[in-house]
Amino acid sequence: MNKLKYDDATAITMAPGVSRRVLSHTPGLMLVEVTFASSAVVPVHNHPHQQISYIKSGRFSFTSNGESEEAGPGDSLAFASDVEHGVTCLEDGVVIDCFTPAREDFL
C-alpha cells in the first residue's frame, strides 16, 4: 500500500490561478486534486491518458471536441485517450482528476 498524507503532497502551479496536487498514484492509476481561481483556464490539450474529472466544488465550463458543457459540484466527466479538452473556471473550485495510466509528467 502506498500512502501519501495531504500535507506532504506538493502543490504545483499549472497555469495562472490553477494548481495541482498529486494525491496518490501507482504506475497504472493517478489521483490529482486541481484547485482553480475564478476565470482560470486550462487551455485545450490532449494526452494519451484516460481521464475522469469529478467536481468537488465550484462551477466550470469544460470543452471537448468543440462542444462545451457546464459542470458543478457532484458532476463528473470522462475523457478518452487523445481527445482534446480544456476547462474554464466560472466560480472558484476544486476538481479531482483520475488518470490511467499515471501521468509521469506530473511526478
Side-chain angles (χ1 to χ4, degrees):
M1 170 181 7
N2 291 332
K3 179 181 178 184
L4 179 63
K5 290 187 176 191
Y6 185 82
D7 290 339
D8 293 337
T10 304
I12 303 293
T13 300
M14 296 175 56
V18 184
S19 65
R20 72 173 181 252
R21 187 183 300 253
V22 174
L23 300 177
S24 191
H25 66 90
T26 66
L29 188 62
M30 177 177 274
L31 192 63
V32 179
E33 177 189 75
V34 186
T35 303
F36 290 82
S38 185
S39 301
V41 174
V42 173
V44 173
H45 64 285
N46 67 337
H47 44 74
H49 314 85
Q50 294 180 60
Q51 176 180 343
I52 293 178
S53 296
Y54 172 78
I55 313 308
K56 182 176 175 183
S57 62
R59 295 217 55 86
F60 299 86
S61 177
F62 285 85
T63 302
S64 181
N65 289 329
E67 296 182 21
S68 293
E69 183 75 34
E70 193 169 315
D75 294 339
S76 59
L77 303 96
F79 303 97
S81 300
D82 297 315
V83 170
E84 289 194 340
H85 59 284
V87 63
T88 299
C89 181
L90 305 175
E91 175 186 301
D92 291 0
V94 175
V95 174
I96 304 298
D97 284 330
C98 183
F99 297 99
T100 185
R103 293 196 55 165
E104 294 293 327
D105 57 324
F106 280 15
L107 296 175

